[in-house]
């Protein structure tokens, strides 16, 4: 058994709304074998991993996996559960797993949930699956499994790559508010919100944090001068660059003194309450990194406190104590430290509420000052401090005192934050008593330090006292209560008409001055600017639009391929539009039937916000039926149908219950709500509809109008947008008509039976005469679909020029041309088939076999070569084109 490959879906997907990884497993020699074929295996497995006994499996209750193994289950399923259990053992919080057959004997896909903020490309999940495979296969051979060391290494990797405590709290607080969150790579950097509401936070620093304030806070001497000039209490001090200067400053200031780095952080190399010149010299060497600058200042007596200011509010305060242990009369200091470090709240760095205790050089020196060493045995109840400074990052602890802060201290801290110029500020104070007024005596209290990116863990999970949700305070500062951090999102999917509908909706929304971000098969647009040229109908393109701070609304073409391979690029849409679902992409990505396509595209309907708007094609039974799916109904959407006639059964039933629908009535695009009717504009006035003769374009216009109205667009602006949606400029390559010599050429992207039938109907309705078609079809469809599409061509065209695109998509030269020919002849034995070498040859032959005035349909794969060729032929745009 081995892992073939991994595929990561980073957004909502057809399995769950959370990120997942899909692992393709080859069972090898275990193909067809079940757990019951190996007596004792299940017992050995549960003995090695006792937590498996609690796994629910499909039974929906604890013990479900045990029941499945006793009954007999395949080893892909077992490996799924072992991976989930190993994940739990390293603190990786995931629950969902599913195993599905991959269509080949012995091949299974394991669908496993991933933590929301886990780095997308981390090797951790692959390592966990590999360990699960080795565990299962080892136990099958009745071998001894020793994975503790490997599991500990994976746990360390997980902790190291997870968000820090402060950043994780901010992410959680944002999600509780419904604000979108995206982690950037493996950094403690978060993008919050969408479009013009996007904000960025890096730990407790935001994109509103003043760069000058950060620089000022990072220079302790500059901070001191700024505060001193504002009349705020700071300890007397000076910058020294040599040992001699440090000793001289010590003598001038007077013992005790503090020596610390000029730009240090987290309490590293801070030496306090020094009373001896030798101590000052040693501290200078450590604080200055043997040759830099250090700050020496008078020691302020009292207790250490950290006060957190957000905006102009004091939101939390903590009293800090240095790292310490308490003797029991039996254990050494080293033993007491080891016991303290077994507390699961302690970890390395800032990944957990508390930091592990150490016995390094600083701690040993401090112990020696107390007449102690690591092997000393303190008496019962004796408190042994390991450091003088009380930073959490060096093992200290915190006690919440927020409710006890005196108003004088509150005013002091607000002034400090304003003086330095920070929106989020951690202020270190030494005070005799934070509950009392500030002492009048100079040097009896002082602002020790100002932190531009303060850690939040001392307030989120204090060692003593009430936790404070300071992350929520920061989020509320960025997004005042009542704001969502979102811009309207319209997601459009379906088989045909997606791109045109997306472009129409974006054009309609722009009528009232919105700056619209749009993703389509030809690129990403912001406003009228093409910012990224590519087939941009997947999640990466959606994320690109939603990260643009100038975007007021997003219209996202959401294609099958992106959903299958990466999931959605957004968390939920305000409006979901489904144009239709018909034969296309069969044979691709394990899609065998149209029902498979429905399952994929239904995700767009299922992942709308609660109470969102759902626009469905009532003329397509599969699409209309999406409103009945349980996951769709759970969203309680407002369903809006569109159809070519009010007589569509779904529309009639919907209107009888007071629903909203869009259709053509007496030649008018009409909005109906229950028995009421509102005319939008004549169908003949829809730009690009050839006077309303292009029924599929009118259908797209109905869908676009429904989406725009769902977002509150006035009817007059919707009508104006549909009249001005000039296709040559706004919808290139979709039914655009040109005049070459004395022949009209209609350029369209139709590439499945339904699309070809629609454009064929258009040609007959507009020109009412025989037409010529020059066609190519994409090679990544199954043979039967290619043949069916060719049959649809033959039903509308008696003369067909067949050419192959430069990109054969894995086909052999000539293979696609032969398949198309077979479909043409099968549907219409008398069809005239004209083979062509390439696009240029095909257009030349089509011009040659057509009579003057006869229209030509040109189907293409890539638009730019078509436009270049038409330009070379001197083609002119025809008015009334789609």
């Amino acid at each position: 058994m081995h892992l073939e490959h991994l595929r990561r879906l980073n957004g909502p997907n057809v399995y769950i709304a959370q990120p997942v990884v899909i692992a393709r497993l080859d069972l090898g020699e275990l193909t067809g074998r079940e757990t019951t074929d190996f007596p004792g295996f299940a017992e050995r497995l549960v003995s090695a991993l006792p937590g498996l006994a609690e796994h629910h499996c499909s039974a929906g209750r604890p013990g479900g996996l045990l029941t499945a193994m006793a009954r007999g289950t395949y080893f892909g399923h077992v490996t799924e559960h072992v991976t989930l259990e190993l994940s739990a053992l390293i603190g990786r919080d995931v629950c969902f797993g599913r195993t599905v057959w991959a269509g080949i004997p012995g091949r299974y896909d394991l669908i496993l949930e991933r933590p929301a903020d886990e780095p997308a490309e981390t090797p951790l999940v692959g390592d966990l699956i590999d360990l699960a495979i080795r565990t299962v296969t080892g136990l099958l051979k009745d071998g001894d499994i020793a994975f503790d060391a490997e599991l500990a290494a994976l746990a360390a990797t997980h902790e190291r790559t997870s968000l820090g405590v402060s950043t994780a709290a901010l992410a959680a607080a944002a999600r509780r508010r419904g604000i979108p969150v995206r982690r950037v790579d493996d950094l403690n950097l978060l993008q919050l919100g969408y479009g013009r509401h996007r904000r960025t936070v890096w730990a407790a620093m935001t994109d509103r944090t003043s760069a000058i304030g950060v620089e000022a806070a990072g220079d302790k001497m500059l901070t001191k001068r700024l505060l001193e000039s504002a009349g705020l209490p700071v300890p007397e001090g000076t910058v020294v660059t040599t040992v001699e200067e440090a000793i001289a400053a010590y003598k001038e200031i007077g013992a005790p003194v503090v020596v610390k780095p000029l730009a240090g952080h987290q309490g590293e190399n801070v030496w306090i309450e020094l009373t001896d010149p030798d101590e000052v010299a040693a501290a200078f060497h450590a604080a200055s990194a043997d040759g830099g600058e250090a700050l020496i200042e008078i020691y302020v007596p009292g207790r250490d406190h950290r006060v957190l200011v957000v905006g102009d509010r004091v939101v939390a305060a903590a009293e800090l104590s240095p790292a310490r242990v308490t003797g029991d009369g039996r254990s050494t200091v080293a033993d007491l430290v080891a016991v303290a470090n077994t507390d699961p709240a302690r970890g390395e760095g800032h990944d957990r509420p508390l930091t592990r205790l150490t016995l390094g050089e600083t701690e040993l020196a401090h112990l020696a000052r107390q007449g102690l060493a690591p092997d000393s045995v303190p008496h019962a109840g004796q408190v042994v401090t390991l450091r003088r400074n009380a930073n959490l990052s060096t093992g200290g602890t915190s006690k919440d005192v927020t409710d006890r802060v005196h108003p004088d201290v509150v005013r002091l801290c607000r002034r400090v934050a304003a003086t330095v110029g920070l929106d989020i500020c951690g202020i270190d104070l030494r005070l005799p008593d934070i509950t009392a007024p500030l002492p009048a005596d100079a040097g009896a209290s002082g602002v020790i330090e100002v932190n531009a990116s303060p850690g939040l863990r001392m307030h989120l999970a204090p060692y003593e006292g009430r936790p404070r949700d300071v992350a929520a305070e920061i989020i509320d500062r960025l997004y005042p209560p009542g704001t969502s951090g979102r811009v309207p999102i319209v997601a459009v999917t379906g088989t045909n008409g997606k791109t045109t509908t997306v472009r129409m909706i974006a054009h309609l929304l722009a009528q009232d001055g919105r700056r619209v971000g749009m993703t389509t098969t030809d690129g990403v647009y912001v406003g009228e600017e093409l910012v990224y040229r590519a087939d941009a109908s997947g999640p990466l393109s959606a994320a690109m639009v939603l990260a643009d701070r100038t975007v007021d609304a997003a219209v996202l073409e959401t294609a099958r391929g992106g959903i299958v391979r990466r999931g959605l690029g957004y968390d939920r849409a305000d409006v979901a539009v489904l144009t239709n679902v018909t034969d296309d992409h069969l044979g691709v990505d394990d899609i065998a039937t149209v029902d498979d396509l429905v399952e994929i595209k239904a995700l767009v309907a299922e992942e709308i916000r609660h109470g969102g708007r759902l626009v469905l094609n009532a003329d397509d039974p599969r699409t209309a039926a999406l409103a009945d799916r349980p996951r769709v109904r759970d969203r309680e959407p407002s369903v809006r149908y569109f159809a070519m006639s009010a007589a569509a059964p779904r529309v009639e039933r919907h209107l009888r219950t007071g629903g909203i629908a869009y259709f053509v009535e007496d030649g008018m695009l009409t909005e109906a709500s229950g028995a009421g009717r509102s005319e939008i504009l004549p169908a003949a006035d829809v730009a690009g509809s050839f006077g309303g003769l292009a029924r599929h374009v009118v259908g797209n216009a109905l869908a676009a109008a429904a989406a725009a109205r769902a977002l509150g667009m006035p009817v007059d602006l919707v009508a104006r947008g549909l009249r001005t949606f000039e296709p040559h400029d706004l919808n290139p390559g979709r039914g655009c008509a040109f005049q070459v010599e004395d022949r009209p050429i209609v350029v369209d992207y139709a590439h499945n039976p339904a699309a070809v039938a629609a454009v064929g109907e258009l040609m007959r309705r507009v020109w009412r005469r025989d037409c010529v078609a020059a066609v190519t079809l994409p090679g990544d469809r199954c043979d039967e679909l290619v043949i069916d599409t060719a049959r649809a061509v033959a039903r509308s065209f008696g003369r067909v020029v067949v050419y192959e695109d430069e990109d054969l998509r894995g086909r052999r030269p000539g293979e696609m041309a032969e398949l198309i020919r077979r479909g043409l002849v099968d549907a219409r034995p008398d069809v005239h088939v004209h083979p062509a070498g390439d696009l240029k040859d095909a257009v030349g032959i089509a011009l040659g076999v057509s009579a003057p005035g006869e229209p030509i349909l040109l189907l293409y794969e890539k638009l730019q070569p078509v436009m270049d060729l038409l330009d070379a032929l001197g083609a002119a745009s025809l008015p009334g084109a789609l």
Side-chain angles (χ1 to χ4, degrees), residues 566-629:
R566 288 185 175 269
L568 297 179
Y570 57 89
D571 59 345
R572 59 180 184 261
D574 298 275
V575 181
V577 180
L578 287 95
T579 59
N580 57 16
V581 184
T582 186
D583 294 357
D584 203 358
H585 295 101
L586 303 185
V588 181
D589 292 325
D590 299 324
I591 299 171
T593 67
V594 178
D595 287 340
D596 292 340
L597 278 174
V598 171
E599 290 299 313
I600 293 167
K601 294 179 183 292
L603 181 66
V604 174
E606 294 167 345
E607 292 300 327
I608 59 173
R609 66 174 174 82
H610 191 82
R613 309 301 195 250
L614 183 58
V615 177
L616 300 174
N617 183 353
D619 288 331
D620 178 35
R622 292 188 182 94
T623 303
L626 293 177
D628 303 325
R629 293 174 70 94

Side-chain angles (χ1 to χ4, degrees), residues 216-224 260-265 295 449:
D219 185 328
K220 291 181 173 60
M221 194 62 197
L222 176 57
T223 303
K224 183 188 296 288
K260 54 189 175 184
L262 190 59
H265 63 286
L295 179 62
E449 192 168 323

Side-chain angles (χ1 to χ4, degrees), residues 459-503:
H459 308 299
L460 295 165
Y463 192 70
E464 298 178 61
R466 171 186 163 191
R468 303 288 171 169
D469 192 0
V470 292
E473 298 280 355
I474 293 173
I475 296 300
D476 286 349
R477 169 74 175 171
L478 294 172
Y479 298 98
T483 60
S484 69
R486 296 175 176 272
V487 296
I489 296 175
V490 182
V492 181
T493 195
T495 302
N496 298 317
K498 294 190 300 295
T499 300
T500 297
T501 303
V502 163
R503 291 168 172 170

